[in-house]
Amino acid sequence: MPELRWIEARRLRRFVARGVIGEAAPGRFYLDEARYEVHRGQRRRLRVVLLGGITLVAIGVFWYTNFR
């Protein structure tokens, strides 16, 4: 197996820490599909909340600059 670039190694460490990827043996990993789906759902919810917040701020700025 080739060496991982630093960004790949970081992502692997984060997935292992979150239980998305397990280590079957030294250097051998597996994907826990159920935990991966949970992880994806959490990330999706975070994106929706952030996008909603940004949208509300943009609407507020627009409202304040045009209707005060």
Side-chain angles (χ1 to χ4, degrees), residues 11-67:
R11 182 173 291 159
L12 177 62
R13 282 193 308 272
R14 291 172 73 187
F15 277 155
V16 169
R18 290 183 174 116
V20 173
I21 293 180
E23 189 166 11
R28 294 185 53 100
F29 298 92
Y30 66 92
L31 175 68
D32 185 331
E33 293 182 39
R35 287 189 178 179
Y36 180 67
E37 288 302 320
V38 169
H39 173 74
R40 283 184 59 199
Q42 291 170 342
R43 298 284 299 207
R44 187 177 303 123
R45 279 190 295 281
L46 178 62
R47 282 192 303 267
V48 167
V49 168
L50 289 175
L51 183 58
I54 291 169
T55 301
L56 287 175
V57 168
I59 289 171
V61 168
F62 175 77
W63 188 270
Y64 180 78
T65 58
N66 291 306
F67 300 110

